[in-house]
Amino acid sequence: MVFNLVQALQETRSLADDHPDDPAWGALRRQIDDVLAVLTDDDSVGDPIEPDGTGRLVRTDIDVEEAQLAAAALMAVHDRPQEEQLELARAAVEDLADALP
C-alpha cells in the first residue's frame, strides 16, 4: 500500500506542475512535498522511489485506511481535475499528513 501511495503522490505532484499558475494546485503540490519529505530520506539506503535515485522510502508505518483514502483521492483528481475533486484530494492529503506518526 505504501508504494501505491507514493506513486499516487508523485504522479499527482507531476500533474500539479502542469498548473503552475493555479494556487489550489500549488497548495496541493506543497502538501504532497511535505508528506513525501516525511516518508523519504535522501541519505537512507533502500530502493529509490524517484527516477534519479533520490528520496528513499524510510517510513512504512502509515495508517492503511488513510493511505488508501489519500491514494484514491489523488487518482480521482487525475480522472476529474476539477475544483471539487482537487479540494477532496487536498483534504485527503492533509488527513494523511495529520495521521503520520
Side-chain angles (χ1 to χ4, degrees):
M1 181 66 233
V2 175
F3 294 107
N4 292 338
L5 172 64
V6 170
Q7 181 180 6
L9 288 165
Q10 289 177 327
E11 289 175 2
T12 306
R13 182 172 61 181
S14 293
L15 183 61
D17 289 343
D18 293 340
H19 303 87
D21 299 327
D22 188 324
W25 282 100
L28 178 59
R29 171 80 156 82
R30 287 187 296 280
Q31 286 178 303
I32 289 171
D33 287 342
D34 291 345
V35 168
L36 285 173
V38 172
L39 298 176
T40 62
D41 180 4
D42 290 341
D43 297 327
S44 67
V45 176
D47 294 328
I49 64 164
E50 294 190 31
D52 63 2
T54 62
R56 298 179 186 280
L57 187 62
V58 295
R59 300 289 299 267
T60 57
D61 55 341
I62 300 172
D63 181 279
V64 173
E65 185 176 337
E66 290 295 338
Q68 289 173 333
L69 290 172
L74 291 171
M75 296 316 297
V77 82
H78 287 261
D79 294 333
R80 296 182 57 223
Q82 296 145 349
E83 187 65 34
E84 178 182 318
Q85 193 61 47
L86 179 60
E87 194 58 40
L88 292 172
R90 288 181 56 214
V93 173
E94 184 176 326
D95 290 346
L96 175 66
D98 290 344
L100 289 173

